[in-house]
Amino acid sequence: MLIEYGVWISRLVVGVLFGLSAFGKVADPVGTRKAVGEFGVPIRWVAGVAWGLPALEAVVVVAVLLPWTVLFGALLALLLLLVFTAAVARLLRRGEHPACSCFGAMSAAPIGTRTLVRNGVLLVLAALVAWGAVAYPQVPGVLPADDAVWLAVAAVLVAMLAWVWGEVHALRKRVDEQALSTLGAEGLPIGAVAPEFELLDVAGGRTNLASLLERGRQVLLVFVHPGCELCAALARELPRWQQRTASALTIVVVGNGDAAEHAEWGREQGLEDIPVLVQQGNEAALRYRVRGTPSAVLIDAEGRVAAPVARGAIAARELITQAKTVVRR
């Protein structure tokens, strides 16, 4: 019986994911058309593909929940995932990282290695659904009616919560962007409370500002881009600066884009002992009003902005020197 429950749950998970994807695309038609075009679809087909994709995803949702169409739904899901994964791999080989908008506005992060990993997991899940359709065609009929229903209701509630979370995330990003566009000055005022953030680190975990401040030290955020030679030159100096100021300063490198790319770049610059965090868009840079790389922001041990934004490698070095002088005092 446990296997039957697993078969039903796998169908519900696929249904929820494809349902969120379809709804997200319909709710954000402009972003969907933009993503379709950036994925290389000819202009004359963009509108049709932008509407056809959510329609096919909606077919998957309905098909995987009905016992007599579940195999068709699973095979359609596999086909869509294979086509999308091939398109992502082609773009990554060419060095292009457009936003996939897979779930509409709430998933506007650029594609990367994580996209391929996620698609691989979904392919395995869709394959399990196809296997379950053949091996256990009687599901969910063999399950107690109450169990089948409450599992379906739970799946719908999870989908709703995921959608609300995504909308809040997208709204927060738009607010950040609006704030940056309406407030012309770069950087936050000295003494302002440093905005909180939670970013992916290259080891696969997540790090926030609060955890960095727990050490009781100043925090220096160094914003970089892997393709920037000035950023690389500055980054190679950071381990030496960290050793000199280790008692009262934590240096953190912040990039944006693909975590695997930043991990490799960090190793090339010798940043094994310095945290390298990755934004999915520019969320941290927007909150701190940082407009270029390399740039640095100094946060005191109380969690307040301690100096103006240091734009450029020379200014960043001077800011580190300033932090070191403060430490000695």
Side-chain angles (χ1 to χ4, degrees):
M1 185 62 73
L2 287 178
I3 295 179
E4 285 84 352
Y5 276 103
V7 169
W8 180 232
I9 290 172
S10 66
R11 294 180 187 177
L12 291 173
V13 171
V14 170
V16 164
L17 293 174
F18 275 81
L20 286 172
S21 181
F23 188 75
K25 291 181 176 66
V26 172
D28 184 28
V30 174
T32 300
R33 287 195 295 271
K34 180 175 182 292
V36 169
E38 289 179 344
F39 267 70
V41 174
I43 295 178
R44 63 181 180 276
W45 294 348
V46 164
V49 172
W51 284 108
L53 274 177
L56 289 174
E57 290 170 338
V59 170
V60 171
V61 174
V62 175
V64 296
L65 298 180
L66 300 176
W68 53 88
T69 58
V70 61
L71 181 59
F72 168 76
L75 293 177
L76 179 58
L78 283 169
L79 177 62
L80 291 175
L81 288 167
L82 286 171
V83 171
F84 177 58
T85 302
V88 170
R90 177 178 61 85
L91 289 170
L92 293 179
R93 282 198 303 271
R94 291 163 53 180
E96 300 178 19
H97 299 266
C100 74
S101 294
C102 305
F103 296 92
M106 67 178 184
S107 62
I111 62 172
T113 304
R114 288 202 310 162
T115 311
L116 294 176
V117 173
R118 181 194 66 193
N119 283 7
V121 173
L122 292 177
L123 282 166
V124 171
L125 186 59
L128 287 174
V129 172
W131 169 81
V134 175
Y136 298 91
Q138 69 277 23
V139 174
V142 296
L143 300 177
D146 290 347
D147 289 353
V149 170
W150 76 254
L151 283 171
V153 170
V156 172
L157 290 175
V158 168
M160 293 175 63
L161 288 173
W163 176 254
V164 170
W165 177 88
E167 286 295 290
V168 170
H169 178 74
L171 179 60
R172 187 174 182 179
K173 182 177 179 180
R174 286 196 292 271
V175 169
D176 287 338
E177 292 171 346
Q178 183 65 30
L180 185 64
S181 64
T182 56
L183 297 172
E186 182 175 24
L188 297 173
I190 296 175
V193 175
E196 179 59 274
F197 57 78
E198 184 179 60
L199 302 177
L200 184 72
D201 64 45
V202 295
R206 301 193 73 84
T207 299
N208 56 31
L209 177 61
S211 66
L212 295 171
L213 291 171
E214 284 176 355
R215 306 171 187 178
R217 310 177 201 166
Q218 298 179 93
V219 174
L220 184 74
L221 303 178
V222 182
F223 291 85
V224 301
H225 187 280
C228 165
E229 182 52 40
L230 290 176
C231 297
L234 175 62
R236 288 191 288 270
E237 299 180 19
L238 295 181
R240 173 167 51 88
W241 285 110
Q242 182 63 88
Q243 289 178 358
R244 294 181 179 181
T245 61
S247 62
L249 179 67
T250 298
I251 298 177
V252 181
V253 172
V254 181
N256 71 305
D258 182 63
E261 179 184 7
H262 281 77
E264 177 62 27
W265 183 83
R267 286 191 292 270
E268 292 174 355
Q269 315 312 322
L271 300 179
E272 289 82 0
D273 297 326
I274 291 180
V276 179
L277 307 182
V278 183
Q279 307 170 90
Q280 294 310 292
N282 285 301
E283 59 268 32
L286 288 169
R287 290 169 196 164
Y288 285 88
R289 300 187 203 162
V290 172
R291 297 183 175 176
T293 58
S295 293
V297 175
L298 182 63
I299 302 168
D300 67 24
E302 302 301 320
R304 295 183 179 275
V305 176
V309 171
R311 169 74 81 87
I314 295 175
R317 294 184 187 99
E318 292 175 350
L319 186 57
I320 297 174
T321 303
Q322 173 185 332
K324 184 180 177 183
T325 302
V326 171
V327 170
R328 286 180 174 175
R329 292 178 183 173

